[in-house]
């Protein structure tokens, strides 16, 4: 299944066995066990505290209510307290020192429904000194249910002189009690001034409340003038609180108890509302209204950190499908899981919710969701999931193996896109994951029509490689290569609405609040987005290449850019110590090194401008990680294809024909070139040389030259030198060499021509020499007669032309001594002209 629930606590295993073992240890026989056995059916979880300890309750054979605690660290159980009355516990909490116990108990009829008519049916909220006095103080005695919760200012258990207790009532008010404690006679802990406990009113007339035990946040909703206002109070160590206000246009749910009995009572008629946050500063409100439809179901997600909401309507499998359970919202890090048992599982990307294709929608026909429990589930902080009915606590995470299976077997582009991002966000074993994804890409590279699969993989994987280092990266680096998505997703309709951004009134912007504020500032003031793109790099790169052709480049500037490229390549080689099969990083591809160095410079400057408070060295390392990761992914794509098709090392020999394996690697390299070229991403040095050599093997001459003319194959000096030296002068090879030489830039062409000892090459050299000599030549009348004895062959036009060149060379020695002439003179021109003429005439 895509969403895997790993058992963290099991009431039957971790508690029930201990209870039975304790009964046997007290010497009670089998008959006694039989008496106790039915009462253990009342065993259920009541609360999970911030430190992970789990409070549970059950009844003994006399109906007494017993409270116990399971320590999540030691995996040990501890008896807390016993109430010798036949009551039903609806809420319970213990302070971090385990010296005070707060509990709410209600009298129920045999049918499990609260008795509103009989006298004495009030809800008792009690505060108990656990050790050693056992004094009991009644905090409330009312007709409505009350939920209790001790505040834990610190995650670790530390002795505190004062405890704070929240009381949340069905009568729509929230109070906080301040409990002073003191020690007497050694270890005895008692409540100071228990006759009068100070308290303050936190909220009144709310309609819904939710407690975040890990972050010690209380969310509640007020209705003011037909507008729903969400408020949040975070109880900090200094007893101050943070306040955030936001307006929601939705009819919300009244607060009620969420015990098993309450859930069974309300069933699917109760609407569902959850608030989820994570460490990146996201804030989501998930809401599912009451629905009796058997054809479709609707829910909304308010992305408060983005400024908009999305309302999803999902078609159910068939018109006669009965919805017996309500929607469950689960927080699993970068995703919110929306689960309707037997019908669908939706994984909503809350970090990047802009495009629907980044969320995964699984239907009830998919085997990946049928293993999930059909019981109502409650999402706790830190990806913890509580199944109150079975008494099990799970840790939820995305299952990489199942997502990879889905990736291999999905047919829709939207499913491939979403599954790819889900897999990459897991991040537990990135090397293994990327190897599997690359294997999948090598077999499905041409199956996606809505997006470029290679582009998406390169951008998304490089993004995730540095994302954990800075949560603000999601606003600075592209997460996806796709900018818009208009393709419909089967069974899902979506409506997007703008909402007002939260109004924050925070005493100090730290931690989560600072990141949320950063997200809100980004939405308010940043237009257009701050995503890095290579447009500046592309322009500067083309300028440098143009200057290279004309010889006008700034030497110092280019040297700095190439130094950046050396850093990237060295960093990449140190991270990958294993030798590569493919012959890359073995040549000086100056154009790619320029692009690599420019990208490092631009990306570093971009992050320095917008990542305030982060050291320059750390940002430079992030840039090196990002670019080297990008290059490494390209190498891995080639390595995988190389191994898959068993390409032999002699592929680099130019005197052989290409095989089917060579063509497959050539095709993949062409797709990689297309993907990186449109984004102006650098390629590993040696890529173009290998690509061209494979092209020489696999393509007919006219196709090869056509690929070169259209930029699909890009000639490097290393490749052309090998072609000139390794290929013999057969008719076919002569045409190839001549076609390539004619397409070289002037500076490289002049150098390459001298490597090919052939009339065509000599003719090209001669033409360039003559052009240089005659560019400022002015024709003057000549009276001298040609001395035929000085020429070996009587060919008057050529003899006359050579005499002019000889005079120019002798009269202007400085012009003649230009750099790299390599003994090119009038005599060389004459010899080259004669050889080329003889070759053309077939003599």
């Amino acid at each position: 299944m895509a969403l895997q629930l790993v058992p963290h606590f099991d009431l039957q295993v971790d508690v029930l066995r201990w209870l039975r073992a304790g009964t046997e240890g007290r010497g009670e026989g089998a008959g006694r066990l039989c008496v106790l056995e039915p009462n253990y059916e009342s065993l259920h979880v009541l609360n999970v505290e911030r430190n992970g300890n789990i409070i549970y309750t059950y009844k003994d054979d006399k109906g007494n209510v017993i409270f116990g605690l399971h320590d999540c660290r030691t995996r040990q159980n501890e008896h807390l307290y016993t109430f010798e009355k036949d009551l039903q516990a609806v809420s319970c909490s213990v302070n971090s020192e385990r010296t005070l116990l707060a509990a709410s108990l209600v009298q129920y009829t045999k049918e499990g429904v609260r008795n509103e008519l009989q006298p004495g049916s009030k809800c008792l909220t009690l505060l108990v000194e656990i050790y050693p006095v056992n004094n009991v103080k009644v905090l409330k005695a009312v007709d409505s249910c009350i939920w209790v919760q001790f505040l834990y200012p610190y995650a670790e258990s530390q002795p505190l002189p004062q405890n704070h207790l929240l009381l949340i009532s069905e009568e729509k008010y929230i109070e906080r009690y301040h409990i002073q404690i003191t020690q007497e006679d050694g270890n005895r802990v008692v409540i100071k001034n228990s006759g009068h406990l100070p308290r303050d009113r936190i909220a009144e007339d709310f309609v819904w409340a939710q407690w975040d035990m890990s972050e010690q946040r209380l969310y509640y909703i007020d209705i003011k003038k037909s507008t729903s206002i969400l408020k949040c109070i975070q109880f900090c160590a200094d007893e101050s609180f943070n306040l955030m206000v936001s307006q929601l246009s939705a009819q919300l749910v009244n607060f009620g108890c969420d015990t098993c009995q309450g859930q069974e009572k309300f069933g699917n008629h109760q609407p569902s509302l959850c608030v989820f946050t994570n460490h990146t500063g996201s804030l989501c409100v998930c809401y599912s209204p009451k629905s009796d439809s058997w054809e479709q179901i609707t829910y909304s997600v308010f992305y408060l950190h983005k400024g908009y909401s999305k309302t999803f309507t999902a078609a159910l499998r068939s018109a006669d499908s009965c919805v017996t359970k309500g929607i469950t919202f689960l927080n699993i890090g970068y995703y919110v899981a929306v689960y309707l048992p037997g019908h669908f599982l939706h994984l909503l990307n809350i970090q990047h919710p802009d495009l629907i294709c980044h969320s995964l929608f699984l239907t009830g026909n998919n085997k990946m969701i049928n293993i999930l429990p059909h019981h109502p589930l409650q999402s706790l902080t830190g990806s913890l999931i509580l199944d109150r009915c079975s008494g099990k606590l799970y840790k939820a995470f995305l299952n990489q193996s199942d997502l990879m299976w889905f990736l291999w077997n999905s047919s829709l582009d939207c499913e491939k896109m979403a599954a790819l991002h889900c897999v990459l966000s897991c991040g537990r074993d990135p090397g293994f994951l990327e190897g599997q994804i690359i294997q999948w890409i090598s077999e499905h590279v041409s199956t996606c029509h809505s997006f470029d699969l290679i582009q998406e993989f390169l951008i998304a994987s490089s993004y995730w490689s540095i994302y954990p280092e800075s949560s603000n990266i999601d606003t600075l680096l592209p997460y996806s290569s796709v900018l818009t998505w208009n393709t419909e997703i089967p069974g899902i309709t979506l409506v997007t609405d703008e909402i007002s951004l939260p109004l924050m009134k925070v005493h100090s912007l730290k931690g989560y609040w600072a990141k949320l504020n950063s997200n809100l500032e980004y939405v308010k003031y940043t237009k257009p987005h701050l995503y890095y793109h290579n447009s500046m790099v592309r322009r500067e790169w083309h300028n440098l290449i143009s200057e290279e052709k004309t010889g006008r480049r700034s030497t110092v500037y280019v040297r700095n850019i190439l130094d950046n490229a050396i850093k990237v390549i060295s960093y990449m080689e140190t991270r990958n110590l294993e030798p590569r099969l493919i012959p890359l990083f073995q040549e000086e591809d100056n154009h790619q090194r320029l692009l690599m160095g420019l990208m490092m410079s631009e990306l570093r400057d971009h992050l320095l401008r917008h990542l305030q408070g982060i050291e320059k060295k750390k940002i430079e390392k992030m840039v090196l990680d990002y670019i080297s990761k990008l290059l490494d992914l390209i190498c891995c794509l080639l390595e995988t294809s190389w191994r898959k098709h068993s390409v032999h090392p002699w592929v680099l020999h130019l005197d052989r024909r290409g095989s089917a394996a060579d063509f497959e690697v050539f095709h993949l390299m062409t797709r990689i070139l297309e993907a990186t070229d449109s984004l102006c991403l650098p390629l590993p040095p040696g890529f173009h040389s290998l690509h061209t050599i494979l092209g020489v093997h696999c393509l007919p001459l006219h196709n090869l030259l056509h690929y070169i003319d259209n930029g699909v194959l890009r000639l490097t000096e290393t490749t052309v030198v090998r072609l000139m030296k390794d290929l013999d002068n057969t008719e076919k090879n002569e045409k190839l060499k001549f076609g390539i030489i004619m397409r070289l830039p002037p500076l490289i062409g002049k150098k390459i021509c001298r490597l090919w000892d052939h009339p065509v090459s000599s003719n090209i050299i001669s033409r360039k020499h003559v052009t240089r000599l005659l560019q400022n030549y002015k024709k003057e009348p000549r009276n001298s007669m040609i001395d035929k004895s000085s020429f070996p062959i009587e060919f008057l036009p050529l003899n006359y032309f050579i005499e002019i060149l000889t005079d120019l060379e002798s009269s202007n020695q400085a012009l003649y001594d230009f750099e790299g002439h390599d003994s090119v003179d009038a005599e060389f021109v004459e010899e080259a002209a004669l050889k080329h003429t003889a070759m053309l005439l077939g003599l």
Side-chain angles (χ1 to χ4, degrees), residues 658-678:
S659 63
D662 298 345
F663 185 82
E664 290 295 335
V665 176
F666 174 77
H667 175 67
L668 178 63
M669 294 186 76
T670 304
R671 293 299 303 269
I672 292 174
L673 182 63
E674 292 174 354
T676 55
D677 189 55
S678 63

Coordinates of all heavy atoms in Angstrom, one line a residue, residues 658-678:
G658 N 28.0 0.7 -36.0 CA 27.2 0.8 -34.8 C 26.2 -0.4 -34.7 O 25.7 -0.9 -35.7
S659 N 26.0 -0.8 -33.5 CA 25.1 -1.9 -33.2 C 23.8 -1.4 -32.7 O 23.6 -0.1 -32.5 CB 25.7 -2.8 -32.1 OG 25.9 -2.2 -30.9
A660 N 22.8 -2.3 -32.4 CA 21.5 -1.8 -31.8 C 21.7 -1.2 -30.5 O 21.0 -0.3 -30.1 CB 20.5 -3.0 -31.8
A661 N 22.7 -1.8 -29.7 CA 22.9 -1.3 -28.4 C 23.5 0.1 -28.5 O 23.1 1.0 -27.7 CB 23.9 -2.2 -27.6
D662 N 24.4 0.4 -29.4 CA 24.9 1.7 -29.6 C 23.8 2.7 -29.9 O 23.8 3.8 -29.4 CB 25.9 1.8 -30.8 CG 27.1 0.9 -30.5 OD1 27.3 0.5 -29.3 OD2 27.9 0.6 -31.4
F663 N 22.9 2.3 -30.7 CA 21.8 3.2 -31.1 C 20.9 3.5 -29.9 O 20.4 4.6 -29.8 CB 20.9 2.6 -32.3 CG 19.9 3.5 -32.8 CD1 20.2 4.5 -33.7 CD2 18.6 3.4 -32.3 CE1 19.2 5.3 -34.2 CE2 17.6 4.2 -32.8 CZ 17.9 5.2 -33.7
E664 N 20.6 2.5 -29.0 CA 19.8 2.8 -27.9 C 20.4 3.8 -27.0 O 19.8 4.7 -26.5 CB 19.6 1.5 -27.1 CG 18.7 0.5 -27.8 CD 17.3 1.0 -28.0 OE1 16.8 1.8 -27.2 OE2 16.6 0.5 -28.9
V665 N 21.8 3.7 -26.7 CA 22.5 4.7 -25.9 C 22.5 6.0 -26.6 O 22.3 7.1 -26.0 CB 23.9 4.2 -25.6 CG1 24.7 5.3 -24.8 CG2 23.9 2.9 -24.9
F666 N 22.7 6.0 -27.9 CA 22.6 7.3 -28.7 C 21.3 8.0 -28.6 O 21.2 9.2 -28.4 CB 22.9 7.0 -30.2 CG 22.8 8.2 -31.1 CD1 23.8 9.2 -31.1 CD2 21.7 8.4 -31.9 CE1 23.7 10.3 -31.9 CE2 21.6 9.5 -32.7 CZ 22.6 10.4 -32.7
H667 N 20.2 7.2 -28.7 CA 18.8 7.7 -28.5 C 18.6 8.4 -27.2 O 18.1 9.5 -27.0 CB 17.8 6.6 -28.8 CG 16.4 7.1 -28.6 ND1 15.8 8.0 -29.4 CD2 15.5 6.8 -27.6 CE1 14.5 8.2 -29.0 NE2 14.3 7.5 -27.9
L668 N 19.1 7.7 -26.1 CA 18.9 8.2 -24.8 C 19.7 9.5 -24.6 O 19.2 10.5 -24.0 CB 19.4 7.2 -23.7 CG 19.3 7.7 -22.3 CD1 17.9 8.0 -21.9 CD2 19.9 6.6 -21.3
M669 N 20.9 9.5 -25.1 CA 21.8 10.7 -25.0 C 21.1 11.9 -25.8 O 21.2 13.0 -25.3 CB 23.2 10.5 -25.6 CG 24.0 9.5 -24.8 SD 25.7 9.3 -25.3 CE 26.4 10.8 -24.7
T670 N 20.5 11.6 -26.9 CA 19.7 12.6 -27.6 C 18.6 13.2 -26.8 O 18.4 14.4 -26.8 CB 19.2 12.1 -29.0 OG1 20.3 11.6 -29.7 CG2 18.6 13.2 -29.8
R671 N 17.9 12.3 -26.1 CA 16.8 12.8 -25.2 C 17.3 13.6 -24.1 O 16.7 14.6 -23.7 CB 16.0 11.6 -24.7 CG 15.2 10.8 -25.8 CD 14.2 11.7 -26.5 NE 13.2 12.3 -25.5 CZ 12.1 11.7 -25.2 NH1 11.7 10.6 -25.7 NH2 11.3 12.3 -24.3
I672 N 18.4 13.2 -23.5 CA 19.0 13.9 -22.4 C 19.5 15.3 -22.9 O 19.2 16.3 -22.2 CB 20.3 13.2 -21.8 CG1 19.8 11.9 -21.1 CG2 21.0 14.1 -20.9 CD1 20.9 11.0 -20.6
L673 N 20.0 15.4 -24.1 CA 20.5 16.7 -24.7 C 19.3 17.6 -24.9 O 19.3 18.8 -24.6 CB 21.2 16.4 -26.0 CG 21.7 17.7 -26.7 CD1 22.8 18.3 -25.8 CD2 22.3 17.3 -28.0
E674 N 18.2 17.0 -25.4 CA 16.9 17.8 -25.6 C 16.4 18.4 -24.2 O 16.0 19.5 -24.1 CB 15.9 17.0 -26.3 CG 16.2 16.6 -27.7 CD 15.2 15.7 -28.3 OE1 14.3 15.2 -27.5 OE2 15.2 15.4 -29.5
A675 N 16.4 17.5 -23.2 CA 15.9 17.9 -21.9 C 16.8 19.0 -21.3 O 16.2 20.0 -20.7 CB 15.8 16.7 -21.0
T676 N 18.1 18.9 -21.3 CA 18.9 19.8 -20.7 C 19.1 21.1 -21.5 O 19.2 22.2 -20.9 CB 20.3 19.2 -20.5 OG1 20.9 18.8 -21.7 CG2 20.3 18.1 -19.5
D677 N 19.0 21.0 -22.8 CA 19.1 22.2 -23.7 C 18.0 23.2 -23.5 O 18.3 24.4 -23.4 CB 19.2 21.8 -25.1 CG 19.6 22.9 -26.0 OD1 20.7 23.5 -25.7 OD2 18.9 23.2 -27.0
S678 N 16.8 22.7 -23.3 CA 15.7 23.6 -23.2 C 15.7 24.3 -21.8 O 15.2 25.4 -21.7 CB 14.3 22.9 -23.3 OG 14.2 21.9 -22.3

